[in-house]
Amino acid sequence: MPGVTIEVKYFNTFVLKKTLSGQYVTNQPVWNGSFGVPSTVAGGYPVVADTSQGTPFAIEESRIRGGFNNTSVDFSPRAFLVEENPNASILFSSLIYSGIFNSRTGVNDTNVFPVGSDITKSADPANGSIQKLYAEDTNMIVFQEYKVSRALIDKDAIYSAEGGGSVTSSNLVIGVLQPYAGEYGISQNPESFAVYGYRKYFTDKNNNVVLRLSRDGMTEISSYGMKDFFRDELNNIDTNAGPGVVRGAYDLYTDQYVVSMQQSPVYNTNTEFKTLTFDDTINGWPSLYTYQPDQMFSVRNNFYSFKNEKLYRHNSTAVGRNTFYGSQSPSSVTVVFNPDPTRSKTFSTMSYEGNNGWELTTLASDGTGKDYQSLNNVYLSTNDSANTVLSYIMGEYVINPTNGQAVSGTPTGAGVGQGYVATFGTKNPPQPRLHAGFDRKENAYVANLVNSSPAAQGEIIFGSVISGIKGFYATATFSTDRYTDPGGEKQLFSVATDFFSNNGY
């Protein structure tokens, strides 16, 4: 290092320093695998510090007490060795292996690296660094940033002139590397890897895909209806705050692959994240969850996750459904109605079959073409929307016979029946129950749709008295309410709507 002066008051001394150079770092001191040399005299060896770099140097003596013509030490093992090549290098695409370990015979050569033997295996550095190794039967899968390969263990492959190959026994520990078809890798997200049986799951952030490696090779499972979703989410997890993470695990309880994409900083609960599952039986992504795990794993058919250094067991009956890390969220399902797609329609009613406790939170038609708004100097698209349809319990009310006013059973901030208690002194007043939201007959729930959108140009009759919304298709979102059996089971079997064709107005 230029500009550094070290005064040595001893004879026959050596200043030892080892630097690391390569692709990633430059002139970084490395002390033979240690974490640094203390800046005080330790073990009889004087040490001085490099004040310009904050890195200590080791001063090693060749004569006892450092005196002139004192007895010289022999070339025995020393604390710091001078190597012919003082620069270390990083082989980011290479493997090195030691001797064998056998617990039955007491052989432990894991610290033996015979340099006279061929103990290294290198992959193509053009495919990036090796991020993960996975041993399967007698093969080892090597995951690089841009490629996935299979390495033979304790055997090698011999290829004929025609291109055919046969496996033969060999004294090689790691045989030839055979790449899988497809230009896919694991990027720099080895934490996304999960395995169940012979199926391996992982993500490739460089290609914005989620992959499954099985007996039939590589499959892009993110293309099963979610290609655009993963293209956007995987492309956005890295922010100016740092790289995000993609945590993966296999849920043995539900038999699904769980992947959680989290922006940086990953331990901040306010960051954006998406946690969802993939099911092989349907080749689809059935659920999008509201929890952000720090780690995930399965043990004996139970699925666990860590959050803020606490361990949680999922799918437990001891807590309410859709409750994660002590916080409960509503469940929601979004459906699209698109019958007779070439005709404009009016959707007049909404119905569903299932358990009580579902409400229609949003309902909107497709948007029109963008029109110029001179007031704001923007182009806007408009669409029809409907009022929220309350659930069977939340929309229940009775008429007060004293003043003829409607009294709701669940006013804001109160539980079921508290509105009746405040008015009648009981949760069960004798008046007939009416329903402003979904009404029920047997196990089917039906409600009229009330248009809540402003009038469009050319409409003859408009306003909140119009029943239904107009459009070529409609998007509806059903959610569980707050009061009906909180945390209980709420199934949704089917949804339907009544419509009739119109001329667009």
Side-chain angles (χ1 to χ4, degrees):
M1 281 177 274
V4 178
T5 302
I6 301 177
E7 295 183 1
V8 180
K9 298 182 179 179
Y10 300 90
F11 297 96
N12 304 311
T13 58
F14 305 93
V15 177
L16 304 181
K17 182 175 77 74
K18 184 177 181 181
T19 61
L20 178 67
S21 62
Q23 179 181 358
Y24 300 101
V25 293
T26 304
N27 294 330
Q28 176 182 339
V30 174
W31 300 96
N32 296 326
S34 69
F35 293 97
V37 180
S39 58
T40 58
V41 176
Y45 294 98
V47 176
V48 292
D50 170 15
T51 57
S52 65
Q53 299 293 329
T55 303
F57 288 87
I59 307 300
E60 183 172 321
E61 275 295 326
S62 64
R63 295 182 181 273
I64 298 177
R65 294 186 179 179
F68 181 71
N69 282 339
N70 280 4
T71 303
S72 177
V73 297
D74 199 358
F75 293 101
S76 59
R78 295 179 294 173
F80 306 97
L81 300 178
V82 179
E83 300 178 0
E84 294 181 1
N85 182 12
N87 293 330
S89 60
I90 296 178
L91 302 178
F92 57 85
S93 61
S94 298
L95 303 172
I96 184 171
Y97 50 87
S98 66
I100 65 173
F101 171 78
N102 192 326
S103 60
R104 293 180 300 173
T105 59
V107 177
N108 185 3
D109 291 338
T110 54
N111 63 333
V112 178
F113 296 88
V115 296
S117 303
D118 186 11
I119 58 174
T120 61
K121 176 65 65 173
S122 296
D124 188 353
N127 294 324
S129 61
I130 296 176
Q131 294 288 315
K132 185 172 183 62
L133 302 175
Y134 178 74
E136 182 181 45
D137 298 330
T138 58
N139 296 323
M140 180 175 63
I141 303 178
V142 181
F143 293 87
Q144 294 178 259
E145 294 181 48
Y146 308 104
K147 197 69 175 178
V148 181
S149 305
R150 180 177 68 253
L152 304 177
I153 300 178
D154 288 337
K155 55 184 179 295
D156 204 354
I158 298 178
Y159 295 92
S160 63
E162 292 78 12
S166 60
V167 178
T168 179
S169 60
S170 171
N171 59 355
L172 285 175
V173 175
I174 302 178
V176 64
L177 286 171
Q178 300 174 332
Y180 285 98
E183 297 301 320
Y184 297 111
I186 202 171
S187 299
Q188 293 185 359
N189 300 108
E191 71 278 1
S192 67
F193 179 84
V195 60
Y196 177 70
Y198 53 83
R199 300 188 299 266
K200 277 75 64 178
Y201 305 86
F202 57 97
T203 63
D204 185 358
K205 187 172 59 178
N206 295 323
N207 291 315
N208 297 327
V209 295
V210 185
L211 301 166
R212 177 182 62 201
L213 178 60
S214 187
R215 293 177 179 177
D216 57 352
M218 206 88 68
T219 303
E220 188 178 321
I221 60 177
S222 57
S223 63
Y224 293 135
M226 299 285 283
K227 190 176 185 66
D228 293 344
F229 174 85
F230 284 104
R231 177 198 61 198
D232 298 335
E233 295 299 328
L234 289 174
N235 194 48
N236 293 330
I237 62 172
D238 294 341
T239 63
N240 294 331
V245 298
V246 186
R247 306 196 187 281
Y250 198 87
D251 185 353
L252 293 177
Y253 186 90
T254 60
D255 200 22
Q256 295 174 345
Y257 170 60
V258 184
V259 58
S260 180
M261 299 166 288
Q262 306 173 13
Q263 287 186 352
S264 180
V266 296
Y267 295 106
N268 188 348
T269 56
N270 295 324
T271 57
E272 293 292 331
F273 71 93
K274 293 292 189 300
T275 304
L276 61 162
T277 57
F278 175 79
D279 193 335
D280 281 290
T281 59
I282 61 174
N283 271 343
W285 301 84
S287 299
L288 183 67
Y289 291 101
T290 58
Y291 66 93
Q292 180 185 4
D294 296 337
Q295 294 291 340
M296 300 179 291
F297 62 94
S298 290
V299 176
R300 298 180 64 87
N301 292 329
N302 286 318
F303 184 61
Y304 300 88
S305 70
F306 277 99
K307 185 62 177 179
N308 297 329
E309 300 180 354
K310 294 182 180 179
L311 180 64
Y312 295 87
R313 180 166 68 92
H314 293 241
N315 308 301
S316 173
T317 58
V319 296
R321 295 173 181 267
N322 211 17
T323 299
F324 300 103
Y325 310 143
S327 176
Q328 188 176 39
S329 302
S331 299
S332 63
V333 178
T334 300
V335 295
V336 178
F337 298 100
N338 192 22
D340 198 1
T342 61
R343 291 180 178 273
S344 177
K345 298 167 286 292
T346 296
F347 300 91
S348 56
T349 65
M350 185 65 62
S351 63
Y352 78 89
E353 292 184 18
N355 297 120
N356 185 15
W358 291 94
E359 59 184 359
L360 181 65
T361 55
T362 60
L363 178 66
S365 67
D366 56 298
T368 62
K370 290 187 176 180
D371 295 323
Y372 178 69
Q373 305 292 327
S374 58
L375 182 62
N376 299 320
N377 193 25
V378 294
Y379 282 88
L380 296 177
S381 177
T382 59
N383 63 290
D384 266 10
S385 59
N387 289 335
T388 299
V389 180
L390 299 176
S391 66
Y392 183 74
I393 292 296
M394 292 190 65
E396 181 182 291
Y397 69 96
V398 300
I399 300 298
N400 189 346
T402 302
N403 54 21
Q405 299 294 320
V407 179
S408 173
T410 56
T412 303
V416 175
Q418 294 302 318
Y420 298 153
V421 172
T423 303
F424 304 105
T426 176
K427 289 185 178 182
N428 299 298
Q431 285 75 17
R433 266 88 166 159
L434 305 176
H435 295 273
F438 281 109
D439 203 352
R440 181 174 63 190
K441 183 177 182 181
E442 296 179 348
N443 206 31
Y445 297 82
V446 183
N448 291 322
L449 299 177
V450 178
N451 195 308
S452 62
S453 54
Q457 185 176 2
E459 285 187 336
I460 300 175
I461 301 176
F462 58 88
S464 60
V465 297
I466 296 179
S467 179
I469 64 172
K470 301 176 298 297
F472 287 92
Y473 67 87
T475 303
T477 299
F478 287 81
S479 298
T480 55
D481 65 14
R482 296 173 297 169
Y483 298 134
T484 307
D485 189 16
E489 180 180 10
K490 295 181 178 66
Q491 297 185 5
L492 189 65
F493 301 115
S494 65
V495 294
T497 180
D498 288 335
F499 68 94
F500 56 88
S501 299
N502 55 35
N503 294 324
Y505 296 102

